[in-house]
Amino acid sequence: MRELTGRAPMKSPGKPSLRRDVERLFWREIRKGLTSEDAAIAVGASQAAGSRWFRERGGMPTFLLAPVTGRYLSFEEREEIALLKARGAGVREIARQLGRAPSTISRELRRNAATRGGKLEYRASVAQWKAELMARRPKTAKLVENERLREYVQERLSGQVRRPDGTPVLGPETAPWKGRNKPRRQDRRWSTAWSPEQISNRLKVDFGDDKSMRISHEAIYQALFVQSRGALNRELVACLRTGRALRVPRARARQRANGHVTPEVMISQRPAEVEDRAVPGHWEGDLIIGTNRSAIGTLVERSTRFTMLIHLPRMEGYGIEPRVHNGPALAGYGAEAMRDALTAQMATMPEQLRLSLTWDRGKELAQHARLKIDTGIAVYFADPHSPWQRGTNENTNGLLRQYFPKGTDLSRWSAADLQAVATTINGRPRKTLEWKTPAEALDDQLTSVQQAGVATTG
């Protein structure tokens, strides 16, 4: 075979698989929003083939979607070669009709011909399969070669949540991963859960002079999603914030009830300095709700993205006394309980970092006037059905749902547990902070405030 074809014998594929250009068309249909089954039908493939392509490639194409350049023979040209060869045309005649060099045709007929029975028999489908197989240039993934880099990535993805003093927090017990997306309305594993983009850019900060400690976020995603890569354990996809086992488009909508807000505390009345994030001390807040009327308060500083979680324990008598219409809220996030909790939390921050608070329109902040008197912080409310006006807080709540999924009881977590999760979130580098962590950014702000105070005193 080596003498006939000029290359080592190749194992017969049996029936040649679908061509790469068909799969390329399949992924273009996926980009349009079609399901894998519908996209396969649209390009003339079976539904099973579409599902297999989507699953094996982790929901994303791992090759260029642009059409192959004219430098290479196409499948249509190979069909023409097969037809002309069957009619007895010579190499130069075939080359002339296709507009190719005779050497290209000669090499194609020799190297990509079928070799069953010890003879060279040219078939377009077999030739296409051989050409695509030899065109592959697989190389060892960087995370496979570099053990130190792989350990760094895995630690940032799946490292253990710890309290500020370093004590590990186990979090909830979770079911074994079954290769599917995150469980719906069930507990998820607690981990450091840095995003691939955060890991990729933080490497430049932690290993500024070590060029071997570099990897793109796309390479990390492919190591997690694509079955053939194998550099990272597939179970680590459970540590991604989305918890998706495959890349798929996702959309969600959220509606909130109207509140008791008066015109003078609408977001339109908020000072202009809040919008540009130049001055620290402006916060956004909301609740994340769990089952059995449980909740956790969230506060995010707009400039540094520093996050604080507010523990809202049950009030005395909850679950024992019958619920009374318009009676006291015993679940832990009534107006009075919320005011007390926010007052205690804000008291931990210096006065310069207590300028304003923008909240959703929930009734839990009905006592905002009293809160302003107690803490000196001005309270404003977003417009109805306008979560983008508190985008920083909405994004943070999405991050926190990895630790506190919908459909779970949030009242079981202690204040120390909430502090551990907040420490984890504040220890993740953020793109908007030039890959500093929120904790580092807040420390810089506090240092500048102290220095400004000393200079004024002097």
Side-chain angles (χ1 to χ4, degrees):
M1 287 304 106
R2 186 179 295 275
E3 291 179 358
L4 287 174
T5 64
R7 61 167 54 130
M10 300 174 67
K11 183 179 178 181
S12 173
K15 180 182 178 181
S17 60
L18 291 167
R19 304 187 309 276
R20 176 60 62 88
D21 55 346
V22 176
E23 188 177 353
R24 186 175 286 110
L25 293 175
F26 165 82
W27 286 108
R28 290 179 187 170
E29 296 299 320
I30 291 292
R31 278 186 169 181
K32 297 177 183 178
L34 271 65
T35 64
S36 57
E37 293 80 4
D38 292 340
I41 293 173
V43 300
S46 67
Q47 293 182 343
S51 298
R52 183 176 67 253
W53 285 337
F54 196 87
R55 181 178 65 254
E56 290 179 349
R57 300 192 184 278
M60 56 184 176
T62 54
F63 53 84
L64 294 177
L65 294 183
V68 180
T69 64
R71 173 186 175 188
Y72 305 98
L73 289 173
S74 66
F75 180 69
E76 290 74 16
E77 287 178 310
R78 289 190 167 96
E79 286 182 321
E80 288 293 325
I81 294 173
L83 289 173
L84 293 171
K85 182 76 167 59
R87 294 172 186 168
V91 170
R92 291 188 178 276
E93 175 63 18
I94 296 174
R96 185 183 64 79
Q97 292 199 31
L98 267 64
R100 293 283 186 173
S103 59
T104 300
I105 305 302
S106 176
R107 185 167 52 248
E108 173 69 17
L109 290 172
R110 185 180 76 256
R111 303 186 70 183
N112 291 332
T115 57
R116 180 173 294 179
K119 300 178 181 180
L120 295 184
E121 185 177 352
Y122 190 83
R123 298 192 186 99
S125 58
V126 174
Q128 184 71 21
W129 168 77
K130 286 191 172 185
E132 290 179 355
L133 187 63
M134 296 306 298
R136 294 177 182 175
R137 297 292 184 269
K139 64 178 182 180
T140 306
K142 196 170 186 179
L143 289 175
V144 174
E145 292 180 328
N146 193 331
E147 182 178 356
R148 182 181 173 210
L149 178 61
R150 183 173 67 253
E151 290 178 353
Y152 182 95
V153 172
Q154 289 178 338
E155 174 62 25
R156 270 63 187 174
L157 278 171
S158 60
Q160 200 166 27
V161 173
R162 298 179 181 275
R163 295 190 174 92
D165 60 1
T167 307
V169 180
L170 297 179
E173 293 185 8
T174 58
W177 187 67
K178 298 180 180 179
R180 303 188 183 95
N181 288 354
K182 65 181 179 183
R184 176 174 171 79
R185 296 186 177 275
Q186 296 181 32
D187 288 319
R188 294 182 60 190
R189 172 185 173 185
W190 283 17
S191 64
T192 46
W194 287 24
S195 74
E197 188 178 20
Q198 290 169 338
I199 296 172
S200 174
N201 285 277
R202 187 67 185 196
L203 281 167
K204 302 172 186 176
V205 177
D206 294 343
F207 303 94
D209 299 328
D210 190 352
K211 300 301 182 182
S212 67
M213 296 294 286
R214 297 286 187 275
I215 191 169
S216 68
H217 65 276
E218 183 64 22
I220 299 176
Y221 276 121
Q222 291 192 13
L224 290 171
F225 288 134
V226 182
Q227 294 181 6
S228 59
R229 294 304 174 98
L232 296 176
N233 193 328
R234 276 277 291 159
E235 293 186 9
L236 293 183
V237 298
C239 298
L240 296 175
R241 181 177 64 83
T242 60
R244 292 197 296 263
L246 298 174
R247 272 186 173 173
V248 291
R250 178 176 64 99
R252 67 178 181 182
R254 186 179 181 188
Q255 294 183 350
R256 302 289 291 180
N258 287 332
H260 50 283
V261 185
T262 55
E264 60 269 17
V265 292
M266 289 293 294
I267 193 171
S268 57
Q269 304 302 315
R270 196 172 64 173
E273 68 178 23
V274 182
E275 189 66 27
D276 58 15
R277 304 176 187 267
V279 179
H282 299 285
W283 300 78
E284 294 179 6
D286 194 9
L287 296 178
I288 54 177
I289 305 296
T291 58
N292 301 322
R293 299 182 62 80
S294 58
I296 296 173
T298 64
L299 289 174
V300 187
E301 205 279 314
R302 284 177 53 84
S303 177
T304 63
R305 276 67 170 182
F306 186 82
T307 301
M308 295 191 294
L309 299 183
I310 304 172
H311 186 229
L312 300 172
R314 306 289 198 196
M315 304 290 286
E316 184 178 354
Y318 178 83
I320 301 175
E321 300 179 5
R323 292 183 61 185
V324 179
H325 182 63
N326 291 332
L330 303 179
Y333 56 97
E336 184 175 351
M338 197 71 218
R339 184 204 71 215
D340 292 341
L342 284 173
T343 300
Q345 191 70 51
M346 283 299 178
T348 63
M349 304 302 295
E351 184 178 354
Q352 296 91 332
L353 296 182
R354 300 199 305 261
L355 299 181
S356 76
L357 171 63
T358 304
W359 199 266
D360 197 10
R361 297 176 68 88
K363 295 182 180 180
E364 65 273 2
L365 221 62
Q367 296 192 12
H368 58 88
R370 176 71 180 275
L371 175 66
K372 181 177 181 180
I373 295 174
D374 294 342
T375 63
I377 189 168
V379 179
Y380 301 94
F381 292 91
D383 294 324
H385 312 295
S386 303
W388 60 86
Q389 293 178 340
R390 305 169 20 267
T392 302
N393 184 244
E394 287 288 324
N395 177 66
T396 302
N397 289 348
L399 300 177
L400 292 169
R401 280 300 186 186
Q402 181 170 356
Y403 302 94
F404 311 112
K406 295 180 180 180
T408 60
D409 188 356
L410 305 183
S411 64
R412 54 190 164 147
W413 305 117
S414 66
D417 293 330
L418 300 189
Q419 188 178 18
V421 173
T423 300
T424 302
I425 294 293
N426 292 327
R428 294 183 189 176
R430 304 293 292 273
K431 180 178 181 179
T432 189
L433 301 176
E434 297 182 350
W435 306 110
K436 289 184 178 180
T437 68
E440 293 169 345
L442 183 67
D443 286 341
D444 292 344
Q445 294 286 5
L446 291 174
T447 301
S448 63
V449 168
Q450 292 173 357
Q451 291 176 349
V454 172
T456 303
T457 303

